[in-house]
Coordinates of all heavy atoms in Angstrom, one line a residue:
P1 N 6.7 5.0 -8.4 CA 8.1 4.7 -8.6 C 8.6 3.6 -7.7 O 9.6 3.0 -8.0 CB 8.8 6.0 -8.3 CG 7.8 6.8 -7.5 CD 6.5 6.3 -7.9
L2 N 7.9 3.4 -6.5 CA 8.4 2.4 -5.5 C 7.7 1.1 -5.6 O 8.1 0.1 -5.1 CB 8.3 3.0 -4.1 CG 9.0 4.3 -3.8 CD1 8.8 4.7 -2.4 CD2 10.5 4.1 -4.1
F3 N 6.5 1.1 -6.2 CA 5.7 -0.1 -6.2 C 4.7 -0.1 -7.4 O 4.4 1.0 -7.9 CB 5.0 -0.4 -4.9 CG 4.1 0.7 -4.5 CD1 2.8 0.8 -4.9 CD2 4.6 1.7 -3.6 CE1 2.0 1.9 -4.5 CE2 3.8 2.7 -3.2 CZ 2.5 2.8 -3.6
T4 N 4.1 -1.2 -7.6 CA 3.0 -1.3 -8.6 C 1.7 -1.5 -7.8 O 1.7 -2.3 -6.8 CB 3.2 -2.4 -9.6 OG1 4.4 -2.2 -10.3 CG2 2.1 -2.5 -10.6
M5 N 0.6 -0.9 -8.1 CA -0.6 -1.1 -7.4 C -1.7 -1.5 -8.4 O -1.9 -0.9 -9.4 CB -1.0 0.2 -6.7 CG -2.3 0.1 -5.8 SD -2.6 1.6 -4.9 CE -3.2 2.7 -6.1
K6 N -2.4 -2.6 -8.1 CA -3.5 -3.0 -8.9 C -4.8 -3.0 -8.0 O -4.7 -3.4 -6.9 CB -3.2 -4.4 -9.4 CG -2.0 -4.5 -10.3 CD -1.9 -5.8 -11.0 CE -0.6 -5.7 -11.9 NZ -0.8 -6.0 -13.2
I7 N -5.9 -2.6 -8.6 CA -7.1 -2.4 -7.9 C -8.2 -3.1 -8.6 O -8.3 -3.0 -9.9 CB -7.5 -0.9 -7.7 CG1 -6.3 -0.2 -7.0 CG2 -8.8 -0.7 -7.0 CD1 -6.4 1.3 -7.2
K8 N -9.1 -3.8 -7.9 CA -10.3 -4.4 -8.4 C -11.4 -4.3 -7.4 O -11.2 -4.5 -6.2 CB -10.0 -5.9 -8.7 CG -11.1 -6.6 -9.4 CD -10.8 -8.0 -9.8 CE -12.0 -8.5 -10.5 NZ -11.9 -9.9 -10.9
K9 N -12.6 -4.0 -7.9 CA -13.7 -3.9 -7.0 C -14.1 -5.2 -6.6 O -14.0 -6.2 -7.3 CB -14.9 -3.2 -7.7 CG -14.7 -1.7 -7.9 CD -16.0 -1.1 -8.3 CE -15.9 0.4 -8.3 NZ -17.0 1.1 -7.8
N10 N -14.6 -5.3 -5.3 CA -15.2 -6.6 -4.8 C -16.6 -6.2 -4.4 O -17.0 -5.1 -4.3 CB -14.3 -7.2 -3.7 CG -14.3 -6.3 -2.4 OD1 -15.2 -5.6 -2.1 ND2 -13.1 -6.3 -1.8
E11 N -17.3 -7.2 -4.1 CA -18.8 -7.1 -3.8 C -18.9 -7.0 -2.2 O -20.0 -7.3 -1.7 CB -19.6 -8.2 -4.4 CG -19.5 -8.2 -5.9 CD -20.0 -7.0 -6.6 OE1 -21.0 -6.4 -6.0 OE2 -19.5 -6.6 -7.6
L12 N -17.9 -6.7 -1.5 CA -17.9 -6.7 -0.1 C -18.0 -5.3 0.5 O -17.7 -4.4 -0.2 CB -16.7 -7.5 0.5 CG -16.5 -8.9 0.0 CD1 -15.1 -9.4 0.5 CD2 -17.6 -9.8 0.4
L13 N -18.3 -5.2 1.7 CA -18.3 -3.9 2.4 C -17.0 -3.6 3.1 O -17.0 -3.0 4.2 CB -19.5 -3.7 3.3 CG -20.8 -3.8 2.6 CD1 -22.0 -3.8 3.7 CD2 -21.0 -2.6 1.7
L14 N -15.9 -4.1 2.6 CA -14.6 -3.9 3.2 C -13.5 -3.9 2.1 O -13.8 -4.4 1.0 CB -14.3 -5.0 4.2 CG -14.2 -6.4 3.7 CD1 -12.8 -7.0 3.8 CD2 -15.2 -7.3 4.4
N15 N -12.4 -3.4 2.4 CA -11.2 -3.4 1.5 C -10.3 -4.5 2.0 O -10.2 -4.8 3.1 CB -10.5 -2.1 1.6 CG -11.3 -0.9 1.0 OD1 -12.0 -1.1 0.0 ND2 -11.2 0.2 1.6
R16 N -9.7 -5.2 1.0 CA -8.7 -6.2 1.3 C -7.4 -5.8 0.6 O -7.4 -5.3 -0.5 CB -9.2 -7.6 0.7 CG -10.5 -8.0 1.4 CD -10.9 -9.4 1.0 NE -11.2 -9.4 -0.5 CZ -11.8 -10.5 -1.1 NH1 -12.0 -11.6 -0.4 NH2 -12.0 -10.5 -2.3
F17 N -6.3 -6.0 1.3 CA -5.0 -5.6 0.8 C -4.1 -6.8 0.7 O -4.1 -7.7 1.6 CB -4.4 -4.6 1.8 CG -5.2 -3.4 2.0 CD1 -6.0 -3.3 3.1 CD2 -5.2 -2.4 1.0 CE1 -6.8 -2.2 3.3 CE2 -6.0 -1.2 1.2 CZ -6.8 -1.1 2.3
T18 N -3.3 -6.9 -0.3 CA -2.2 -7.9 -0.4 C -0.9 -7.1 -0.7 O -0.9 -6.2 -1.5 CB -2.5 -8.9 -1.5 OG1 -3.7 -9.5 -1.3 CG2 -1.4 -9.9 -1.6
I19 N 0.1 -7.5 0.0 CA 1.4 -6.8 -0.2 C 2.4 -7.9 -0.6 O 2.6 -8.9 0.2 CB 1.9 -6.1 1.0 CG1 0.8 -5.1 1.4 CG2 3.2 -5.4 0.8 CD1 0.8 -4.8 2.9
I20 N 3.1 -7.8 -1.7 CA 4.0 -8.8 -2.2 C 5.4 -8.0 -2.3 O 5.5 -7.0 -3.0 CB 3.6 -9.4 -3.6 CG1 2.3 -10.1 -3.4 CG2 4.7 -10.3 -4.1 CD1 1.7 -10.5 -4.8
V21 N 6.4 -8.5 -1.7 CA 7.7 -8.0 -1.8 C 8.6 -9.0 -2.3 O 8.8 -10.1 -1.7 CB 8.3 -7.5 -0.4 CG1 9.6 -6.9 -0.6 CG2 7.3 -6.4 0.2
S22 N 9.2 -8.8 -3.5 CA 10.0 -9.7 -4.2 C 11.4 -10.0 -3.5 O 11.9 -9.1 -2.9 CB 10.3 -9.2 -5.6 OG 11.2 -10.0 -6.3
K23 N 11.9 -11.2 -3.7 CA 13.2 -11.5 -3.2 C 14.3 -10.7 -3.9 O 15.4 -10.6 -3.5 CB 13.5 -13.0 -3.3 CG 12.9 -13.8 -2.3 CD 13.4 -15.2 -2.3 CE 12.8 -16.1 -1.2 NZ 13.2 -17.4 -1.3
K24 N 13.9 -10.1 -5.1 CA 14.9 -9.3 -5.8 C 15.2 -8.0 -5.0 O 16.2 -7.4 -5.3 CB 14.3 -8.9 -7.2 CG 14.3 -10.2 -8.1 CD 13.7 -9.8 -9.4 CE 13.6 -11.1 -10.3 NZ 13.1 -10.8 -11.6
I25 N 14.3 -7.6 -4.1 CA 14.5 -6.4 -3.3 C 15.6 -6.7 -2.3 O 16.6 -6.0 -2.1 CB 13.2 -6.0 -2.5 CG1 12.1 -5.6 -3.5 CG2 13.5 -5.0 -1.5 CD1 12.4 -4.2 -4.2
D26 N 15.5 -7.8 -1.6 CA 16.5 -8.3 -0.7 C 16.2 -9.8 -0.4 O 15.0 -10.2 -0.2 CB 16.4 -7.5 0.6 CG 17.7 -7.6 1.4 OD1 18.1 -8.7 1.8 OD2 18.3 -6.6 1.7
K27 N 17.2 -10.6 -0.3 CA 17.0 -12.0 0.0 C 16.6 -12.3 1.4 O 16.1 -13.3 1.8 CB 18.2 -12.8 -0.4 CG 18.5 -12.8 -1.9 CD 19.6 -13.6 -2.3 CE 19.8 -13.5 -3.8 NZ 20.8 -14.3 -4.3
R28 N 16.9 -11.3 2.3 CA 16.6 -11.5 3.7 C 15.1 -11.2 4.0 O 14.6 -10.2 3.7 CB 17.4 -10.6 4.6 CG 18.9 -10.9 4.5 CD 19.8 -9.8 5.1 NE 19.5 -8.6 4.4 CZ 20.1 -7.4 4.7 NH1 20.8 -7.3 5.8 NH2 19.8 -6.3 4.0
A29 N 14.5 -12.2 4.7 CA 13.0 -12.1 5.0 C 12.8 -10.9 6.0 O 11.8 -10.3 5.9 CB 12.5 -13.4 5.6
V30 N 13.8 -10.6 6.8 CA 13.6 -9.5 7.8 C 13.4 -8.2 7.0 O 12.5 -7.4 7.4 CB 14.9 -9.4 8.7 CG1 14.9 -8.2 9.5 CG2 15.1 -10.7 9.5
V31 N 14.1 -8.0 6.0 CA 14.0 -6.7 5.2 C 12.7 -6.7 4.5 O 12.0 -5.7 4.5 CB 15.2 -6.6 4.2 CG1 15.0 -5.3 3.4 CG2 16.5 -6.5 5.0
R32 N 12.3 -7.8 3.9 CA 11.0 -7.8 3.1 C 9.9 -7.7 4.1 O 8.9 -7.0 3.8 CB 10.9 -9.1 2.3 CG 11.9 -9.3 1.2 CD 11.7 -10.4 0.3 NE 11.4 -11.7 0.9 CZ 12.2 -12.6 1.3 NH1 13.5 -12.4 1.1 NH2 11.8 -13.7 1.8
N33 N 9.9 -8.3 5.3 CA 8.9 -8.2 6.2 C 8.8 -6.7 6.8 O 7.7 -6.3 7.1 CB 9.0 -9.2 7.4 CG 8.8 -10.6 6.9 OD1 8.1 -10.8 5.9 ND2 9.3 -11.5 7.6
K34 N 9.9 -6.1 6.9 CA 9.9 -4.7 7.4 C 9.1 -3.8 6.4 O 8.3 -3.0 6.8 CB 11.3 -4.1 7.5 CG 11.4 -2.7 8.0 CD 12.8 -2.2 8.1 CE 12.8 -0.8 8.6 NZ 14.2 -0.3 8.6
I35 N 9.3 -4.0 5.1 CA 8.6 -3.2 4.1 C 7.1 -3.6 4.2 O 6.3 -2.7 4.1 CB 9.2 -3.6 2.7 CG1 10.6 -3.1 2.6 CG2 8.3 -3.0 1.6 CD1 11.4 -3.6 1.4
K36 N 6.8 -4.8 4.3 CA 5.4 -5.2 4.4 C 4.7 -4.6 5.7 O 3.6 -4.1 5.6 CB 5.2 -6.7 4.5 CG 5.5 -7.5 3.3 CD 5.4 -8.9 3.5 CE 5.9 -9.7 2.3 NZ 5.7 -11.2 2.6
R37 N 5.4 -4.5 6.8 CA 4.9 -3.9 8.0 C 4.6 -2.4 7.8 O 3.6 -1.9 8.2 CB 5.9 -4.1 9.2 CG 5.6 -5.2 10.1 CD 6.4 -5.2 11.4 NE 7.8 -4.9 11.2 CZ 8.7 -5.8 10.9 NH1 8.4 -7.1 10.7 NH2 10.0 -5.5 10.8
I38 N 5.5 -1.7 7.1 CA 5.3 -0.3 6.8 C 4.0 -0.1 6.0 O 3.2 0.7 6.3 CB 6.5 0.3 6.1 CG1 7.7 0.3 7.1 CG2 6.2 1.7 5.6 CD1 9.1 0.7 6.4
F39 N 3.9 -0.9 5.0 CA 2.7 -0.9 4.1 C 1.4 -1.2 5.0 O 0.4 -0.4 4.9 CB 2.8 -1.9 3.0 CG 3.5 -1.3 1.8 CD1 4.8 -1.1 1.7 CD2 2.7 -0.9 0.6 CE1 5.4 -0.6 0.6 CE2 3.3 -0.4 -0.5 CZ 4.7 -0.3 -0.5
R40 N 1.4 -2.2 5.7 CA 0.3 -2.6 6.5 C -0.1 -1.5 7.5 O -1.3 -1.2 7.7 CB 0.5 -3.9 7.3 CG 0.2 -5.1 6.4 CD 0.1 -6.4 7.3 NE 1.3 -6.7 8.0 CZ 2.3 -7.4 7.5 NH1 2.3 -8.0 6.3 NH2 3.4 -7.6 8.3
N41 N 0.9 -0.9 8.2 CA 0.6 0.1 9.2 C -0.1 1.3 8.5 O -1.0 1.9 9.0 CB 1.8 0.5 9.9 CG 2.3 -0.5 10.9 OD1 1.5 -1.4 11.3 ND2 3.6 -0.5 11.2
E42 N 0.5 1.7 7.4 CA -0.1 2.9 6.7 C -1.4 2.6 6.1 O -2.3 3.4 6.2 CB 0.9 3.3 5.6 CG 0.4 4.5 4.8 CD 0.3 5.8 5.7 OE1 0.8 5.8 6.8 OE2 -0.4 6.7 5.2
L43 N -1.6 1.4 5.6 CA -3.0 1.0 5.1 C -4.0 1.0 6.2 O -5.2 1.3 5.9 CB -2.9 -0.3 4.3 CG -2.1 -0.1 3.0 CD1 -1.8 -1.5 2.4 CD2 -2.8 0.7 2.0
S44 N -3.6 0.5 7.3 CA -4.6 0.4 8.4 C -5.0 1.8 8.8 O -6.2 2.1 9.2 CB -4.1 -0.4 9.6 OG -3.0 0.3 10.2
D45 N -4.1 2.8 8.8 CA -4.4 4.2 9.1 C -5.3 4.8 8.1 O -6.2 5.5 8.4 CB -3.2 5.0 9.3 CG -2.4 4.6 10.6 OD1 -3.0 3.9 11.5 OD2 -1.2 4.9 10.6
L46 N -5.0 4.5 6.8 CA -5.7 5.2 5.7 C -7.1 4.5 5.4 O -7.9 5.1 4.8 CB -4.9 5.1 4.4 CG -3.6 6.0 4.4 CD1 -2.8 5.8 3.2 CD2 -4.0 7.5 4.5
N47 N -7.2 3.2 5.8 CA -8.4 2.5 5.4 C -9.7 3.1 5.9 O -10.7 3.1 5.2 CB -8.3 1.0 5.9 CG -9.4 0.1 5.3 OD1 -9.7 0.3 4.1 ND2 -9.9 -0.7 6.1
K48 N -9.7 3.8 7.0 CA -10.9 4.4 7.5 C -11.3 5.6 6.7 O -12.5 6.0 6.7 CB -10.7 4.9 9.0 CG -9.6 5.9 9.2 CD -9.4 6.2 10.7 CE -8.2 7.0 10.9 NZ -7.1 6.3 11.4
N49 N -10.4 6.1 5.8 CA -10.8 7.3 4.9 C -10.9 6.8 3.5 O -10.9 7.6 2.6 CB -9.7 8.3 5.0 CG -9.6 9.0 6.4 OD1 -10.7 9.1 7.1 ND2 -8.5 9.3 6.9
M50 N -11.0 5.5 3.3 CA -11.0 5.0 1.9 C -12.5 4.5 1.6 O -13.2 4.2 2.5 CB -10.1 3.8 1.7 CG -8.6 4.2 1.8 SD -7.6 2.8 1.7 CE -8.0 2.1 0.1
M51 N -12.8 4.6 0.3 CA -14.0 4.0 -0.2 C -14.0 2.5 0.0 O -12.9 1.9 -0.2 CB -14.3 4.4 -1.6 CG -14.6 5.8 -1.8 SD -15.0 6.2 -3.5 CE -13.6 7.1 -4.0
L52 N -15.1 1.9 0.4 CA -15.1 0.5 0.6 C -15.4 -0.4 -0.6 O -15.8 0.2 -1.6 CB -16.2 0.2 1.7 CG -16.0 0.8 3.0 CD1 -17.2 0.5 3.9 CD2 -14.7 0.4 3.7
G53 N -15.0 -1.6 -0.6 CA -15.4 -2.6 -1.6 C -14.3 -2.7 -2.7 O -14.6 -2.9 -3.9
H54 N -13.0 -2.7 -2.3 CA -11.9 -2.9 -3.2 C -10.9 -3.9 -2.8 O -10.7 -4.0 -1.6 CB -11.2 -1.5 -3.5 CG -12.0 -0.5 -4.1 ND1 -12.8 0.4 -3.4 CD2 -12.2 -0.2 -5.4 CE1 -13.5 1.1 -4.3 NE2 -13.1 0.8 -5.5
D55 N -10.4 -4.6 -3.7 CA -9.2 -5.5 -3.5 C -8.0 -4.7 -4.0 O -8.0 -4.3 -5.2 CB -9.3 -6.8 -4.2 CG -10.4 -7.7 -3.6 OD1 -10.7 -7.6 -2.4 OD2 -11.0 -8.5 -4.3
I56 N -7.0 -4.5 -3.2 CA -5.9 -3.7 -3.6 C -4.6 -4.6 -3.5 O -4.3 -5.1 -2.4 CB -5.8 -2.4 -2.8 CG1 -7.1 -1.6 -3.0 CG2 -4.6 -1.6 -3.3 CD1 -7.3 -0.5 -2.0
L57 N -3.8 -4.7 -4.5 CA -2.6 -5.4 -4.5 C -1.4 -4.5 -4.7 O -1.4 -3.7 -5.7 CB -2.7 -6.5 -5.7 CG -1.4 -7.3 -6.0 CD1 -1.1 -8.2 -4.8 CD2 -1.6 -8.1 -7.2
F58 N -0.5 -4.5 -3.8 CA 0.7 -3.8 -3.8 C 1.9 -4.8 -4.2 O 2.1 -5.7 -3.5 CB 1.1 -3.1 -2.5 CG 0.1 -2.0 -2.2 CD1 -1.0 -2.2 -1.4 CD2 0.4 -0.7 -2.6 CE1 -1.9 -1.2 -1.1 CE2 -0.5 0.3 -2.3 CZ -1.6 0.1 -1.6
I59 N 2.5 -4.5 -5.3 CA 3.6 -5.4 -5.7 C 4.9 -4.6 -5.7 O 5.0 -3.5 -6.4 CB 3.4 -5.9 -7.1 CG1 2.0 -6.6 -7.2 CG2 4.5 -6.9 -7.5 CD1 1.6 -6.9 -8.6
V60 N 5.9 -5.0 -4.9 CA 7.2 -4.3 -4.8 C 8.2 -5.3 -5.4 O 8.6 -6.2 -4.8 CB 7.5 -4.0 -3.4 CG1 8.8 -3.2 -3.3 CG2 6.4 -3.2 -2.7
I61 N 8.5 -5.0 -6.7 CA 9.4 -5.9 -7.4 C 10.5 -5.0 -8.1 O 10.1 -4.1 -8.9 CB 8.7 -6.7 -8.5 CG1 7.5 -7.5 -7.9 CG2 9.6 -7.6 -9.3 CD1 6.7 -8.2 -8.9
V62 N 11.7 -5.3 -7.9 CA 12.8 -4.7 -8.5 C 12.8 -3.2 -8.4 O 13.4 -2.5 -9.2 CB 13.0 -5.1 -10.0 CG1 14.3 -4.7 -10.5 CG2 12.8 -6.6 -10.2
K63 N 12.1 -2.7 -7.4 CA 12.1 -1.2 -7.2 C 12.9 -1.0 -5.9 O 12.4 -0.7 -4.8 CB 10.7 -0.8 -7.0 CG 9.7 -1.3 -8.0 CD 9.4 -0.2 -9.0 CE 8.6 -0.9 -10.2 NZ 7.5 -0.4 -10.7
I64 N 14.2 -1.2 -6.1 CA 15.1 -1.3 -4.9 C 15.2 0.1 -4.2 O 15.6 0.2 -3.1 CB 16.5 -1.8 -5.4 CG1 16.4 -3.2 -5.9 CG2 17.5 -1.7 -4.3 CD1 17.6 -3.8 -6.6
G65 N 14.8 1.2 -4.9 CA 14.8 2.5 -4.3 C 14.0 2.5 -3.0 O 14.2 3.4 -2.2
I66 N 13.1 1.6 -2.8 CA 12.3 1.6 -1.6 C 13.1 1.4 -0.3 O 12.8 1.9 0.8 CB 11.2 0.5 -1.7 CG1 10.1 0.9 -0.7 CG2 11.7 -0.9 -1.4 CD1 8.8 0.2 -1.0
L67 N 14.3 0.7 -0.4 CA 15.1 0.5 0.7 C 15.8 1.7 1.2 O 16.1 1.8 2.4 CB 16.2 -0.6 0.4 CG 15.7 -2.0 0.1 CD1 16.8 -2.9 -0.3 CD2 15.0 -2.6 1.3
S68 N 16.0 2.7 0.3 CA 16.7 3.9 0.7 C 15.7 5.0 1.2 O 16.1 6.1 1.7 CB 17.5 4.5 -0.5 OG 16.6 4.9 -1.5
K69 N 14.4 4.7 1.2 CA 13.4 5.7 1.6 C 13.1 5.5 3.1 O 13.1 4.4 3.6 CB 12.1 5.5 0.8 CG 12.2 5.7 -0.7 CD 12.6 7.1 -1.1 CE 12.6 7.2 -2.6 NZ 13.2 8.5 -3.0
S70 N 12.7 6.6 3.7 CA 12.3 6.6 5.1 C 10.9 6.1 5.2 O 10.1 6.1 4.2 CB 12.4 8.0 5.7 OG 11.4 8.8 5.2
K71 N 10.4 5.7 6.4 CA 9.1 5.3 6.6 C 8.1 6.3 6.2 O 7.1 6.1 5.6 CB 8.9 4.9 8.1 CG 7.6 4.4 8.4 CD 7.5 4.0 9.9 CE 6.1 3.6 10.3 NZ 6.1 3.3 11.8
E72 N 8.4 7.6 6.5 CA 7.5 8.7 6.2 C 7.3 8.9 4.7 O 6.3 9.2 4.2 CB 8.0 10.0 6.9 CG 7.8 10.0 8.4 CD 8.9 9.2 9.1 OE1 10.0 8.9 8.5 OE2 8.7 8.7 10.2
E73 N 8.5 8.7 4.0 CA 8.4 8.9 2.5 C 7.6 7.8 1.9 O 6.8 8.1 1.0 CB 9.8 8.8 1.9 CG 10.7 10.1 2.2 CD 12.1 9.9 1.8 OE1 12.7 8.9 2.1 OE2 12.5 10.8 1.0
I74 N 7.7 6.6 2.4 CA 6.9 5.5 1.9 C 5.4 5.7 2.1 O 4.6 5.5 1.3 CB 7.4 4.1 2.4 CG1 8.8 3.8 2.0 CG2 6.4 3.0 2.1 CD1 9.4 2.6 2.6
Q75 N 5.1 6.2 3.3 CA 3.7 6.4 3.7 C 3.1 7.5 2.8 O 2.0 7.4 2.3 CB 3.6 6.9 5.2 CG 3.9 5.8 6.1 CD 4.0 6.3 7.6 OE1 4.2 7.5 7.8 NE2 3.9 5.4 8.5
L76 N 3.9 8.5 2.5 CA 3.4 9.6 1.6 C 3.2 9.1 0.2 O 2.2 9.4 -0.4 CB 4.4 10.7 1.6 CG 4.0 12.0 0.7 CD1 2.7 12.6 1.3 CD2 5.1 13.0 0.7
V77 N 4.0 8.2 -0.3 CA 3.9 7.6 -1.7 C 2.6 6.8 -1.7 O 1.9 6.8 -2.7 CB 5.1 6.8 -2.1 CG1 4.9 6.1 -3.3 CG2 6.3 7.8 -2.2
I78 N 2.4 6.0 -0.7 CA 1.2 5.1 -0.6 C -0.1 6.0 -0.6 O -1.0 5.7 -1.4 CB 1.2 4.2 0.6 CG1 2.3 3.2 0.5 CG2 -0.2 3.5 0.8 CD1 2.6 2.4 1.8
K79 N -0.1 7.0 0.2 CA -1.3 7.9 0.3 C -1.5 8.6 -1.0 O -2.6 8.6 -1.5 CB -1.0 8.9 1.4 CG -2.2 9.8 1.6 CD -2.0 10.8 2.8 CE -3.3 11.6 2.9 NZ -3.1 12.6 4.0
N80 N -0.4 9.1 -1.7 CA -0.6 9.7 -3.0 C -1.1 8.8 -4.0 O -1.9 9.2 -4.9 CB 0.7 10.3 -3.4 CG 1.1 11.6 -2.6 OD1 0.3 12.2 -2.0 ND2 2.4 11.9 -2.6
A81 N -0.6 7.5 -4.0 CA -1.1 6.5 -5.0 C -2.6 6.2 -4.8 O -3.3 6.1 -5.8 CB -0.3 5.2 -4.9
L82 N -3.0 6.1 -3.6 CA -4.5 5.9 -3.3 C -5.3 7.1 -3.7 O -6.4 6.9 -4.2 CB -4.7 5.5 -1.8 CG -4.1 4.2 -1.4 CD1 -4.1 4.0 0.1 CD2 -4.8 3.0 -2.1
E83 N -4.8 8.3 -3.4 CA -5.6 9.5 -3.8 C -5.6 9.6 -5.4 O -6.7 9.9 -5.9 CB -4.9 10.7 -3.3 CG -5.1 10.9 -1.8 CD -4.3 12.0 -1.2 OE1 -3.5 12.6 -1.8 OE2 -4.6 12.3 0.0
K84 N -4.5 9.3 -6.0 CA -4.5 9.3 -7.5 C -5.5 8.3 -8.1 O -6.2 8.5 -9.1 CB -3.1 9.0 -8.0 CG -3.0 9.2 -9.5 CD -1.5 9.0 -9.9 CE -1.4 9.1 -11.4 NZ 0.0 8.9 -11.9
A85 N -5.7 7.1 -7.4 CA -6.6 6.1 -7.8 C -8.0 6.4 -7.4 O -9.0 5.7 -7.7 CB -6.2 4.7 -7.3
E86 N -8.2 7.6 -6.8 CA -9.5 8.1 -6.3 C -10.2 7.1 -5.4 O -11.4 6.9 -5.4 CB -10.4 8.4 -7.5 CG -9.9 9.5 -8.4 CD -10.7 9.8 -9.6 OE1 -11.7 9.1 -9.8 OE2 -10.4 10.7 -10.3
L87 N -9.4 6.5 -4.5 CA -9.9 5.6 -3.5 C -10.1 6.3 -2.1 O -10.7 5.7 -1.2 CB -9.0 4.4 -3.3 CG -9.0 3.4 -4.5 CD1 -8.0 2.3 -4.2 CD2 -10.4 2.9 -4.7
M88 N -9.6 7.5 -2.0 CA -9.8 8.2 -0.7 C -11.1 9.0 -0.7 O -11.4 9.6 -1.8 CB -8.6 9.1 -0.5 CG -7.2 8.4 -0.4 SD -7.1 7.2 0.9 CE -7.1 8.3 2.3
K89 N -11.8 9.0 0.4 CA -13.0 9.8 0.5 C -12.7 11.3 0.6 O -11.6 11.6 1.2 CB -13.8 9.4 1.7 CG -14.3 8.0 1.7 CD -15.1 7.7 3.0 CE -15.5 6.2 3.1 NZ -16.1 5.9 4.3
M90 N -13.6 12.1 0.2 CA -13.4 13.5 0.4 C -13.7 13.8 1.8 O -14.5 13.1 2.5 CB -14.4 14.3 -0.5 CG -14.1 14.1 -2.0 SD -12.5 14.8 -2.4 CE -12.2 14.1 -3.9
R91 N -13.2 14.9 2.4 CA -13.4 15.2 3.8 C -14.9 15.4 4.1 O -15.3 15.1 5.2 CB -12.7 16.6 4.1 CG -11.2 16.4 4.0 CD -10.7 16.0 5.4 NE -9.2 15.9 5.3 CZ -8.5 15.1 6.0 NH1 -9.1 14.3 6.8 NH2 -7.2 15.1 5.9
S92 N -15.7 15.9 3.2 CA -17.1 16.1 3.5 C -17.9 14.8 3.5 O -19.0 14.8 4.0 CB -17.7 17.0 2.4 OG -17.6 16.4 1.1
E93 N -17.3 13.7 3.1 CA -18.1 12.4 3.1 C -18.0 11.7 4.4 O -18.7 10.7 4.5 CB -17.5 11.5 2.0 CG -17.8 12.0 0.6 CD -17.2 11.0 -0.4 OE1 -17.1 9.8 -0.1 OE2 -16.9 11.4 -1.5
K94 N -17.3 12.2 5.4 CA -17.2 11.5 6.7 C -18.5 11.4 7.4 O -19.3 12.1 7.5 CB -16.1 12.2 7.5 CG -14.7 11.9 7.0 CD -13.7 12.5 8.0 CE -12.3 12.2 7.5 NZ -11.3 12.7 8.4

């Protein structure tokens, strides 16, 4: 509900992330960069528990509800989206 996520496998042993925040969310770069920072911080924490070899694109366009969410709520939504896409490793795979 807060963003669109597109995933494509790559032939690398690492995950690459792209975060796009539309000006339709807010015209101020400060606000858009804050949203990107929240995404990057959460992704860096989750990346160690993710399967490798994916390019993941997060697109935040006209989903203005993201501005009213707390950092913790956004983090939970990101984690749930990655789990739903089956990109998170099971605990026993560590």
